[in-house]
Amino acid sequence: MKSEARVVVIGGGVVGASVLYHLTRAGWRDVLLIERGELTCGSTWHAAGGMHTINGDPNVAKLQQYTINLYRELERITGQSCGMHVTGGIMLAGTRERLDWLKMAKARGRYLGMELEIISVDEAAKLFPLMNKRHFVGALLDPIEGHVDPYGVTHAYAKAAQAAGGEIARHTRVLDLKPRRDGSWNVITEAGNVHAEHVVNAGGLWAREIGRMVGLELPILAMEHQYLITEDIPALKGLKEQLHCIDFEGEIYTRQERGGMLLGTYERAGVPWSAHTTPWDFAQSLLPNDLERIAPSLEVGFEHFPALGEVGIRRVVNGPFTFAPDGNPLVGPIRGLQNFWVACGVMAGFSQGGGVGLALSQWMVEGDPGADVWAMDVARYGDWATLAYTNAKVRENYSRRFRIRFPNEELPAARPLRTTPVYERLQAAHAVFGDYCGLEHPLWFAPTAQEATEAVTFHRSNAHPYVGAECVAVRDAVGLLEISNYGKFEVSGPAAEQWLSHVMANRVPAAGRIALTPMLNERGKLIGDFTMCRLDSERVFLVCTYAAEVYYRRWFERYTPPAGVTVRPCAMEYVGLSLAGPHSRTLLQSLTRSDLASAAFPFLSFRQLDVGMIPALVGRISFSGELGYEIWVTSDYQRALYDLLSSAGREQGLKLFGGRALNAMRIEKSFGTWAREYRPIYGPYEAGLGRFVDLQKGDFVGRAAALREKESGGKLRLATFSVDAADADASGDEPIWHDGEVVGWVTSGAYGHRVQRSLALGYIPAALAAAPEGFEIEILGERRKAKRESAPPFDPDGRRMRA
Ligand SMILES: Cc1cc2nc3c(=O)[nH]c(=O)nc-3n(C[C@H](O)[C@H](O)[C@H](O)COP(=O)(O)OP(=O)(O)OC[C@H]3O[C@@H](n4cnc5c(N)ncnc54)[C@H](O)[C@@H]3O)c2cc1C
């Protein structure tokens, strides 16, 4: 084994092998993979090898498509068979809701170029004769599902990498990792040390242990997973290979394996494996079978597919594989460590391994993953994702693998975990809470405790009228919203302005003022949107998306602040309440001696002032489009502030409102938000944020690319639509049609209660930006007429928030 390498990839499962191959393909040849046993000896070797393109996040779905299309190329380059069986796949719906969900999945697949088709039960039974039609109401057909041979795929990656100069050291365990002063690593192995510029943790079942070598506790848990293979089924004789099949109601998947069928299940009472540490003596190993545990699923399976129950079981496999709390991979560089990368938590290695390898290699070689990988970025988890939190969430996720996630559904595991001081008060006001980074935040308020639950649905829910009443109160009087769930940073020091001016696209505001700003990467794409609130010459308070805090901190490390600048995350130190509505000034003025008249405290002002006895930071800003204030206090004051505003607000008609109402109101104003309208695949001009990019202020990260985008006009345009919806609004990722063709996708949707119509935001080609007519948005499989709005539907001139 060599003693110097540009990259050491730890782990020779399907993911590590893919990373190695993709690094060589991206031009880095001096790369070494170190595997403690044989390739595939972790969770890879006993996988069922199934592959599919559908994923809840369209960007991950694209990477899955890439993975599947890669296998033929790998076979061609290496001559190593990947054992591909592209049988096509069928997903069976046993209920109307499931069929709605499949219609939604089909619609979402459209703009990704997937050729999915909804078929009837009779058509399904013709294609998949093993099913008992009685249990189903329809199906979705996907022509490019199938399965591969785990050994073949991993060795194909390995061979392709070796042919391009990559090396593989087998039977060599990495024992420890020591950082060097220059950011490189000493990789300490059983067979001597390797000095590497970069290290990739692709340790699969042992990714946590490798993380711990560098002081990292990765949110990963392995679950036991069982599948069985039946003896030969006479009914299959003479038929062409059966389709892959997912039976959602049975919570099982099945495919042909030689003359029999393979049947696996994600049982409700899933069992974690090695909850804290993974034993090193586990290699090429399986776990004892526990058919008892999956008996309920098998019973359903044999009823839904009777031929499977008529033959014996040839083999049972019980093996562990890893999950992150949301089931998506953990990929990317780690904040606080130099040149340390992860590619782990990959629960569907044969659908995702190629995409993970591609994204990570581009990230390492080019400095950018080259795709929107937010859904699998390791930075989406913060300190709150402890091992115990991960345990609860992974078990929940595993048990729900084949269950419907409704657009308005909040999952119960690991809750309540984090609460703000006003939590009990909001609870007493019948708040229905959502979970955001483990933090409880109010979604809407019910009139009574009995009504404070929301039925999950694809249609408008029981919350609809109450959310409507909240919006109307904000429009006509004043509403109070808890806003603690934002990220916050304090940037301070003599060079704070200079540093911010370099990393943000807008000019840093003057003391006492607020400015909105996009943050761009070098390619001029949106990687964040911030509110810069300037307290004084040396102090700026940044408000941003809390879920992206680690992501932002990692970016700030890339553009390390110069000496004299401190960037301090302070999300939970400052909690907040916001007032919105025409009476909000009168209400707040009654509690402070500071002059809040528009002349003294105009729109986009920011000040330290006392509200009653409470010292607060107050910004005059509004995400609802109404006159409004955001009030930030340290957490010890939040209850007092809440009580004060609540009692003083009685005269003004103060009403609590929640995140659902805010979302509807920001859409009425065509205001975007991070991870929906603002993501690293869009430029600021495409996203309608051009007015917040100051090209005159001097150089800043992404300026040259932003200038090019401005000159060319960009390829896309964020547009607002009024939708002729029935009782279901768009919620995101629905296709946008124009003149009979799919031209774009929805990023957010809601019913606009102030304008009384269904609305959606979404991206369309720039060339169509001026077309008002001819659009349709597909909601639950039905194309609904949509009118492109040339201005925000509510208060287009912004008079109300500036009043
Ligand atoms: C029963 C079962 C069925 C499955 N079915 C499917 C399916 O149908 N489709 C699908 O896509 N996925 C399936 N999977 C999941 C799939 O197996 C995983 O997604 C995949 O194997 C993850 O690969 P990996 O490379 O991340 O991890 P692993 O395969 O665990 O590889 C990690 C490697 O790192 C090595 N390593 C760890 N620590 C060190 C160290 N310190 N030094 C050197 N080497 C080290 C290990 O020896 C191991 O080889 C299934 C899993 C199971 C258990």
Side-chain angles (χ1 to χ4, degrees):
M1 186 175 67
K2 55 185 177 182
S3 58
E4 293 274 337
R6 185 157 199 186
V7 184
V8 163
V9 178
I10 307 172
V14 64
V15 174
S18 166
V19 170
L20 190 76
Y21 163 66
H22 282 92
L23 282 170
T24 61
R25 206 173 78 166
W28 282 10
R29 316 254 147 177
D30 181 16
V31 290
L32 169 67
L33 184 151
I34 302 181
E35 164 56 52
R36 72 192 181 102
E38 282 297 342
L39 296 182
T40 75
C41 75
S43 56
T44 298
W45 70 281
H46 49 62
M51 52 181 191
H52 51 91
T53 46
I54 288 182
N55 185 285
D57 183 286
N59 297 290
V60 177
K62 265 189 231 170
L63 291 172
Q64 295 188 179
Q65 257 178 324
Y66 164 81
T67 303
I68 295 171
N69 292 331
L70 183 66
Y71 293 137
R72 291 262 178 256
E73 190 189 324
L74 279 177
E75 287 184 335
R76 194 180 43 75
I77 305 172
T78 62
Q80 163 74 52
S81 165
C82 292
M84 284 184 81
H85 293 247
V86 186
T87 53
I90 192 166
M91 298 181 189
L92 297 172
T95 63
R96 283 279 139 209
E97 286 75 22
R98 174 62 67 182
L99 197 56
D100 278 351
W101 185 84
L102 290 178
K103 284 178 186 167
M104 225 162 81
K106 174 195 147 126
R108 287 174 176 179
R110 264 191 222 281
Y111 67 82
L112 298 175
M114 293 181 188
E115 287 169 27
L116 307 173
E117 205 185 326
I118 296 285
I119 56 174
S120 69
V121 178
D122 287 336
E123 286 167 313
K126 265 194 212 131
L127 294 167
F128 191 69
L130 298 180
M131 65 186 260
N132 182 343
K133 290 198 288 186
R134 187 157 77 76
H135 300 288
F136 302 104
V137 296
L140 178 75
L141 184 66
D142 179 356
I144 58 163
E145 285 201 13
H147 61 275
V148 285
D149 166 26
Y151 176 95
V153 167
T154 310
H155 281 81
Y157 279 129
K159 277 190 183 170
Q162 283 169 314
E167 289 184 35
I168 296 178
R170 293 174 167 83
H171 300 287
T172 307
R173 188 171 129 197
V174 172
L175 302 172
D176 206 356
L177 295 165
K178 296 278 178 229
R180 287 197 179 192
R181 221 168 260 229
D182 64 356
S184 64
W185 292 90
N186 285 337
V187 181
I188 298 155
T189 84
E190 291 171 327
N193 298 351
V194 185
H195 174 217
E197 193 180 325
H198 299 266
V199 168
V200 178
N201 175 359
L205 292 173
W206 296 267
R208 285 178 312 188
E209 279 66 24
I210 296 169
R212 286 172 194 151
M213 293 177 192
V214 299
L216 194 65
E217 194 58 79
L218 287 163
I220 290 180
L221 179 72
M223 296 292 289
E224 292 192 16
H225 183 69
Q226 299 186 80
Y227 64 78
L228 57 85
I229 296 169
T230 70
E231 286 177 342
D232 288 359
I233 297 175
L236 293 181
K237 256 213 170 111
L239 298 182
K240 72 179 202 332
E241 188 172 10
Q242 290 296 296
L243 300 179
H244 246 248
C245 171
I246 292 179
D247 167 11
F248 289 101
E249 274 60 50
E251 303 191 315
I252 49 188
Y253 62 90
T254 182
R255 69 161 169 87
Q256 190 163 348
E257 175 71 21
R258 297 170 199 266
M261 291 296 285
L262 180 153
L263 185 151
T265 179
Y266 286 82
E267 68 275 23
R268 297 224 167 155
V271 171
W273 178 70
S274 292
H276 296 103
T277 43
T278 310
W280 289 109
D281 61 1
F282 187 86
Q284 211 95 22
S285 317
L286 287 174
L287 304 170
N289 302 332
D290 184 358
L291 283 180
E292 195 83 334
R293 202 168 70 228
I294 59 168
S297 305
L298 295 184
E299 228 167 83
V300 180
F302 296 153
E303 209 182 305
H304 288 189
F305 310 101
L308 273 67
E310 287 162 10
V311 292
I313 293 172
R314 179 179 291 149
R315 187 169 170 231
V316 181
V317 169
N318 184 11
F321 65 124
T322 55
F323 294 78
D326 61 5
N328 273 337
L330 297 175
V331 180
I334 296 289
R335 185 198 76 75
L337 295 174
Q338 261 182 294
N339 300 335
F340 187 84
W341 308 79
V342 296
C344 47
V346 183
M347 62 79 53
F350 301 95
S351 303
Q352 299 176 333
V356 166
L358 175 72
L360 189 73
S361 62
Q362 291 188 352
W363 217 332
M364 294 175 72
V365 174
E366 313 280 345
D368 186 281
D372 182 348
V373 295
W374 168 248
M376 58 183 196
D377 192 329
V378 62
R380 70 191 185 278
Y381 288 107
D383 294 345
W384 42 272
T386 59
L387 265 195
Y389 169 90
T390 302
N391 191 300
K393 280 316 232 188
V394 168
R395 278 188 288 122
E396 176 181 67
N397 191 290
Y398 185 92
S399 71
R400 296 181 48 92
R401 173 102 176 104
F402 288 144
R403 281 209 252 160
I404 297 173
R405 176 82 191 256
F406 290 91
N408 67 336
E409 186 167 11
E410 293 289 326
L411 301 181
R415 298 179 60 192
L417 176 61
R418 309 172 69 190
T419 55
T420 61
V422 295
Y423 175 70
E424 279 81 13
R425 282 164 167 71
L426 299 175
Q427 221 174 13
H430 317 308
V432 175
F433 290 94
D435 162 26
Y436 182 72
C437 304
L439 179 72
E440 297 295 318
H441 69 109
L443 296 173
W444 58 280
F445 292 84
T448 65
Q450 289 73 33
E451 287 165 278
T453 48
E454 185 168 3
V456 293
T457 172
F458 291 114
H459 302 264
R460 289 178 196 144
S461 77
N462 55 316
H464 186 75
Y466 306 119
V467 172
E470 291 171 18
C471 294
V472 168
V474 170
R475 182 192 64 196
D476 296 343
V478 54
L480 176 64
L481 172 76
E482 139 103 292
I483 50 168
S484 304
N485 60 339
Y486 281 100
K488 289 134 234 155
F489 289 91
E490 191 185 71
V491 183
S492 56
E497 176 174 354
Q498 187 195 343
W499 179 74
L500 274 173
S501 187
H502 184 59
V503 290
M504 301 294 175
N506 204 354
R507 190 177 292 267
V508 180
R513 300 291 297 157
I514 292 175
L516 303 181
T517 181
M519 184 163 76
L520 307 180
N521 62 17
E522 296 87 351
R523 297 186 305 132
K525 299 294 182 196
L526 285 171
I527 55 164
D529 66 312
F530 289 81
T531 308
M532 295 188 281
C533 311
R534 181 118 179 222
L535 266 165
D536 53 45
S537 63
E538 295 198 0
R539 231 161 23 121
V540 180
F541 185 66
L542 297 180
V543 183
C544 56
T545 304
Y546 184 43
E549 182 182 287
V550 179
Y551 177 89
Y552 295 146
R553 288 177 72 186
R554 190 177 63 193
W555 185 259
F556 293 161
E557 275 169 12
R558 181 153 156 173
Y559 287 94
T560 314
V565 180
T566 308
V567 182
R568 198 173 64 82
C570 51
M572 287 304 121
E573 194 175 311
Y574 289 98
V575 289
L577 295 171
S578 151
L579 290 174
H583 298 179
S584 54
R585 182 188 290 122
T586 316
L587 167 53
L588 194 58
Q589 186 66 80
S590 71
L591 301 170
T592 183
R593 286 167 52 81
S594 304
D595 184 0
L596 297 183
S598 236
F601 198 68
F603 184 54
L604 298 180
S605 297
F606 190 73
R607 275 208 211 130
Q608 199 150 14
L609 49 87
D610 293 347
V611 181
M613 290 185 281
I614 301 154
L617 297 174
V618 179
R620 190 178 152 194
I621 187 160
S622 160
F623 202 38
S624 61
E626 303 288 352
L627 170 68
Y629 302 88
E630 289 182 352
I631 309 169
W632 302 105
V633 293
T634 50
S635 55
D636 44 348
Y637 286 111
Q638 197 197 22
R639 267 193 290 255
L641 178 67
Y642 178 89
D643 292 344
L644 190 63
L645 293 172
S646 302
S647 78
R650 243 170 252 136
E651 251 175 59
Q652 308 297 333
L654 182 78
K655 187 172 171 62
L656 288 164
F657 70 108
R660 290 272 159 72
L662 184 67
N663 188 49
M665 290 190 280
R666 65 118 187 142
I667 294 173
E668 288 175 311
K669 287 292 297 170
S670 304
F671 290 157
T673 187
W674 173 252
R676 289 261 160 215
E677 287 71 35
Y678 308 148
R679 295 184 72 126
I681 42 176
Y682 309 123
Y685 296 93
E686 292 178 330
L689 293 176
R691 64 191 186 283
F692 303 118
V693 177
D694 187 343
L695 294 167
Q696 312 306 323
K697 69 170 179 165
D699 201 19
F700 58 89
V701 180
R703 182 183 179 279
L707 181 60
R708 280 195 300 276
E709 189 199 320
K710 186 178 184 197
E711 284 167 358
S712 72
K715 292 196 179 99
L716 300 170
R717 200 64 84 241
L718 180 62
T720 307
F721 295 92
S722 290
V723 190
D724 190 6
D727 69 337
D729 304 300
S731 58
D733 296 329
E734 291 85 357
I736 302 174
W737 295 73
H738 187 259
D739 286 348
E741 264 183 59
V742 174
V743 295
W745 54 90
V746 169
T747 48
S748 302
Y751 186 80
H753 293 272
R754 292 179 299 185
V755 297
Q756 301 205 345
R757 55 187 192 268
S758 186
L759 299 171
L761 301 179
Y763 280 91
I764 53 172
L768 284 177
E773 305 296 336
F775 290 100
E776 288 167 315
I777 292 181
E778 187 172 337
I779 301 177
L780 298 180
E782 279 181 37
R783 280 154 63 174
R784 298 259 156 203
K785 264 196 154 160
K787 178 175 166 286
R788 195 189 65 76
E789 300 283 355
S790 54
F794 183 73
D795 189 27
D797 301 328
R799 293 213 178 108
R800 296 174 72 93
M801 58 188 186
R802 290 185 178 81

